[in-house]
Amino acid sequence: MTRTRATAVGFIAVLLWSLLALLTVGSTPTPPLLLNTICFSIGGTLGLIWTWASGGLGQLRAVRWTTYAFGTVGLFGYHALYFSALRMAPAAEAGLIAYLWPLLIVLFSGLLPGEHLRIGHLFGACLGFAGAAVIIAGGGTGFQAKHLPGYGLALLCALTWSGYSVLSRRLGKTPTSSVAVFCIATAIASGMLHLMLEDTVFPDSAFGWASVAALGLGPVGLAFYVWDIGVKQGDIQILGTASYAAPLLSTLALVVAGIAAPTWGLAIAAVLITGGAAIAARASMRR
């Protein structure tokens, strides 16, 4: 697979993550950790079925346990920290800090062998973050000292996902099918945490179950497989910058569904995020 094609495959994850908010709203009133358990079970099971059908189960036995531990910490750690941060701090501010991960991916990627961080990558990522800030912080009330623990968890959340994404490149020989095991392990850990912290409330309608199934198939399923291909074989700096399209497309999806209203802030964010991605892409083309 060429670098350009792998980058395009990785961007499919960004498109799928843009449906996360819409489908999560549709899955109400299922609590977050239970939703995690169901969705990762779907994504992991389908991944194992695909691996079995393609004759790749033998590859999974050859993967070291440390790699499985790394992947599980990445997937489960990100979601556990994210949900915890939103419980301990206002959603807008915590979400904005958590969305530092694309910028951190761009910065950390400069430490990878064979990668070079150009000023265009950094400038483009900063523009993308500014665009995301316009969207995410729109309903915020300002940072407050009493919410510092929540802000700290949100920062750890950003570091966890950016670290997982960048270090995955060092595992280039590990088959993407191993992500299925990451998903199953994450589902088990989420289920155990759910039993300790949450009440069990399943979707109460056919639409709710359809939303949960769609989450497991897409944003919390296929997305992690194509992201793995992208960060291992594609242009990780362009992927990092382009990831800021997720909150923009997510908001657009809510507007189309009639859940959110269009604003000038949305238009400004679109210009910033698109411009940032273009600048980062140009920097990579000059390499």
Side-chain angles (χ1 to χ4, degrees), residues 18-41:
S18 69
L19 297 174
L20 184 62
L22 180 62
L23 294 175
T24 299
V25 171
S27 68
T28 304
T30 308
L33 289 170
L34 176 58
L35 186 62
N36 238 23
T37 304
I38 299 173
C39 292
F40 275 106
S41 295

Side-chain angles (χ1 to χ4, degrees), residues 120-121 123-125 127-128 238 241-242 271-285:
H121 294 129
F123 185 56
L127 278 182
I238 288 183
T241 304
V271 172
L272 290 171
I273 292 171
T274 304
I279 290 172
R282 185 179 179 186
S284 288
M285 290 173 64

Side-chain angles (χ1 to χ4, degrees), residues 109-127:
S109 66
L111 303 175
L112 290 171
E115 297 290 345
H116 301 284
L117 182 61
R118 295 178 180 273
I119 189 65
H121 294 129
L122 184 57
F123 185 56
C126 288
L127 278 182

Side-chain angles (χ1 to χ4, degrees), residues 132-195:
V134 171
I135 298 173
I136 299 172
T141 57
F143 290 93
Q144 302 175 33
K146 64 181 181 180
H147 298 306
L148 282 176
Y151 300 150
L153 291 179
L155 181 58
L156 285 175
C157 171
L159 289 168
T160 297
W161 189 249
S162 58
Y164 166 79
S165 299
V166 172
L167 290 174
S168 289
R169 195 161 184 106
R170 303 299 299 270
L171 303 175
K173 295 182 179 179
T174 303
T176 294
S177 55
S178 63
V179 175
V181 180
F182 302 167
C183 289
I184 293 296
T186 298
I188 294 172
S190 297
M192 294 173 62
L193 203 57
H194 158 70
L195 293 175

Side-chain angles (χ1 to χ4, degrees), residues 226-254:
V226 293
W227 183 251
D228 187 77
I229 294 173
V231 296
K232 284 180 178 176
Q233 303 179 51
D235 191 318
I236 192 170
Q237 291 155 338
I238 288 183
L239 277 177
T241 304
S243 294
Y244 281 117
L248 171 64
L249 296 174
S250 178
T251 305
L252 287 174
L254 293 174

Side-chain angles (χ1 to χ4, degrees), residues 34-116:
L34 176 58
L35 186 62
N36 238 23
T37 304
I38 299 173
C39 292
F40 275 106
S41 295
I42 295 172
T45 300
L46 290 178
L48 289 176
I49 292 174
W50 168 75
T51 302
W52 170 77
S54 60
L57 287 180
Q59 291 180 321
L60 295 183
R61 288 193 290 268
V63 177
R64 293 183 298 179
W65 71 268
T66 51
T67 300
Y68 286 131
F70 163 77
T72 303
V73 168
L75 295 188
F76 174 73
Y78 170 79
H79 290 85
L81 288 168
Y82 183 78
F83 291 143
S84 299
L86 264 60
R87 284 185 175 182
M88 299 176 65
E93 286 77 11
L96 182 58
I97 295 174
Y99 236 91
L100 282 169
W101 66 260
L103 177 58
L104 293 174
I105 284 178
V106 174
L107 292 175
F108 292 160
S109 66
L111 303 175
L112 290 171
E115 297 290 345
H116 301 284

